[in-house]
Amino acid sequence: MSLARTASQTIGPFYNFALLGGADNDLTRRSKGGPQAAGEVVEIKGRVIDGDGAACACALVEVWQADAEGRYGADRDPNFAGFGRTLTDNDGYYTFTTVLPGPVPGKGNSWQAPHMSMSLHSGGLLKQVNTRLYFPNDDANADDPVLSGIEDDGQRSTLVARAAGEGRYEFDVILQGEGETVFFQL
Amino acid sequence: MANTTDVTGRHYPDSGQNTDPPYLHPDYKSTIKKSPQRPLVALEHSVTELSGPAFEAGEAGENDLTVQGDAMPLGERIDIQGRILDEEGNAYAGALVEMWQANASGKYRHINDGREAPLDENFIGAGRCVTDAEGWYSFRSIRPGPYPVPGGWWRPAHLHFSVTGPSVVTRLITQMYFPGDPLLEDDPIFHSIADDAAREALIGKFDLTLGEPSVSLGYRFDMVLRGQAAG
């Protein structure tokens, strides 16, 4: 049997009362006031920008990542959420608090550099865009199969966050035009 | 909100189906500056794409949008039921299904909805549930009203659906429409889907047996996510 896949439609502008809870952008705890996940706590801040360079407000940003030891499965740190979502503000900014992920297995014997999977929905987007966030100054980036598969230096650099001080990283998502973020066909 | 990781034993090959709309659909003007222009880069699925969040069943009543106020909201009561399936018809259990909508006047409880139409103090317009072992979800609500898009067209009555889990590859946000709505003919968002059958599949199927006698009207709306059983 082969069923036709259900088509995507835009999230539209009026959803935040439905999809957002209190602390969904804090991956370091499974519940408010609960124990903190192991690892180095980091803050990721970024801006979502459209083809005019204008802020993309009310975009839904979702992330999925391994814990500090690079685990996704049932053996994962029980205090680590792994999945998070948040909304961009009127100036297009989003923020996540998380722990630095560990390296995770790739194809065969290869390893992938620490990364986060990131997806965005917005009014004006008829289906999600998918990208990845890598961390700067990580030696493993050079051997990462996804990063090294992108030949153009400028395009590859759109997947690497900027260091912005102790435990802080910045990662903008440019939907269109100059500096357009690399988006993946999953 | 996320619970344990669910590695489902499925894989997500590209089955060649292309039901989704393109990023750029100029009739829906908001896509013009938000659509990526470079081709997407193929990404071979790794454990990052094959794993994802799983969700625990919500609290009772979270899927009944008619009991969130002190009294019953205005409007025609409806029941929506359906299954979340993969491309082979296997159930997706434990998927988070969220639904949100305008009220019977076509007004959202949202600060940016500036349209002159009344809010209903007994209607928030958002619910959630987690699919059971057979992939079923259900919601009770009221039929939303259509509404005009500022400076543009009228949106047909619709329910927004978000399905999360088990993987980023299966993530789906879509809308369910109502059969026989004359506004469907000119809605650029509905018509962003080129394939006739894929477009029509977003129209819920009226089914009186899914409603409660003398209380509500029923609609069936299944959603098919990417994926096949492993093997």
Side-chain angles (χ1 to χ4, degrees):
Chain A
M1 177 164 53
S2 179
L3 300 178
R5 224 185 280 160
T6 301
S8 175
Q9 292 272 266
T10 182
I11 195 171
F14 304 137
Y15 61 87
N16 58 349
F17 61 101
L19 295 183
L20 294 164
D24 294 344
N25 66 340
D26 183 356
L27 283 69
T28 65
R29 298 171 201 277
R30 288 273 305 285
S31 59
K32 212 169 187 169
Q36 191 177 61
E40 182 187 341
V41 176
V42 294
E43 185 185 275
I44 315 275
K45 184 175 182 174
R47 204 165 175 230
V48 183
I49 297 164
D50 72 12
D52 283 331
C56 195
C58 277
L60 180 73
V61 185
E62 294 183 329
V63 293
W64 170 245
Q65 65 162 87
D67 71 9
E69 302 295 325
R71 296 171 301 200
Y72 285 106
D75 60 342
R76 188 178 66 191
D77 182 341
N79 299 322
F80 184 60
F83 177 75
R85 56 161 65 147
T86 194
L87 178 76
T88 58
D89 65 18
N90 287 338
D91 296 317
Y93 286 100
Y94 71 87
T95 309
F96 286 101
T97 304
T98 186
V99 299
L100 213 54
V104 300
K107 195 179 181 184
N109 294 322
S110 73
W111 284 84
Q112 303 184 75
H115 64 275
M116 303 169 75
S117 168
M118 182 181 282
S119 304
L120 276 81
H121 289 269
S122 165
L125 274 177
L126 285 162
K127 54 185 172 181
Q128 72 180 13
V129 289
N130 304 292
T131 187
R132 276 187 174 195
L133 180 160
Y134 287 84
F135 294 87
N137 306 319
D138 190 318
D139 292 342
N141 286 349
D143 297 321
D144 181 83
V146 175
L147 280 181
S148 56
I150 299 167
E151 289 177 14
D152 183 272
D153 290 345
Q155 290 180 27
R156 191 185 322 109
S157 70
T158 69
L159 300 179
V160 182
R162 296 185 298 273
E166 185 69 29
R168 291 173 181 274
Y169 296 93
E170 292 177 354
F171 184 74
D172 296 339
V173 178
I174 299 174
L175 291 173
Q176 184 190 87
E178 192 179 340
E180 183 175 307
T181 300
V182 167
F183 297 112
F184 294 109
Q185 177 76 58
L186 297 182
Chain B
M1 55 190 288
N3 187 23
T4 55
T5 303
D6 179 25
V7 179
T8 58
R10 285 188 177 86
H11 59 147
Y12 310 101
D14 182 0
S15 59
Q17 292 201 48
N18 191 17
T19 54
D20 281 337
Y23 286 117
L24 177 62
H25 184 66
D27 288 348
Y28 174 31
K29 290 192 175 59
S30 304
T31 65
I32 292 171
K33 290 296 177 182
K34 289 182 177 162
S35 41
Q37 291 174 325
R38 279 207 313 267
L40 300 180
V41 174
L43 180 70
E44 192 173 347
H45 296 169
S46 72
V47 64
T48 304
E49 289 73 36
L50 297 175
S51 60
F55 299 89
E56 283 173 356
E59 292 170 30
E62 284 188 328
N63 63 341
D64 187 344
L65 285 68
T66 68
V67 297
Q68 295 170 342
D70 293 333
M72 206 176 292
L74 296 169
E76 171 190 319
R77 270 177 289 176
I78 56 173
D79 284 302
I80 310 101
Q81 292 179 28
R83 294 180 74 199
I84 309 295
L85 303 167
D86 70 15
E87 292 165 82
E88 294 177 329
N90 303 302
Y92 276 114
L96 175 66
V97 183
E98 292 161 295
M99 194 270 275
W100 70 100
Q101 61 171 101
N103 69 18
S105 306
K107 173 91 169 176
Y108 286 90
R109 187 172 285 276
H110 191 288
I111 193 167
N112 291 340
D113 185 351
R115 177 172 169 244
E116 277 191 44
L119 282 171
D120 180 342
E121 63 181 18
N122 293 310
F123 191 68
I124 296 169
R128 60 168 61 191
C129 66
V130 173
T131 56
D132 69 14
E134 269 73 54
W136 285 98
Y137 75 87
S138 68
F139 289 99
R140 170 163 290 183
S141 189
I142 52 99
R143 183 178 172 126
Y147 57 85
V149 176
W153 72 101
W154 280 76
R155 292 246 48 219
H158 60 278
L159 306 173
H160 293 270
F161 279 91
S162 165
V163 186
T164 311
S167 147
V168 67
V169 183
T170 62
R171 184 81 175 91
L172 175 69
I173 289 182
T174 190
Q175 301 179 24
M176 187 201 99
Y177 301 95
F178 289 85
D181 191 332
L183 293 170
L184 286 169
E185 194 175 318
D186 292 318
D187 180 42
I189 294 178
F190 180 62
H191 284 277
S192 66
I193 301 164
D195 182 77
D196 290 346
R199 206 166 52 240
E200 297 296 318
L202 295 189
I203 301 173
K205 290 186 176 58
F206 179 70
D207 184 342
L208 204 54
T209 68
L210 296 181
E212 184 180 336
S214 305
V215 173
S216 61
L217 296 174
Y219 293 87
R220 175 77 185 259
F221 186 55
D222 292 348
M223 285 175 271
V224 179
L225 312 183
R226 183 166 169 177
Q228 300 174 6

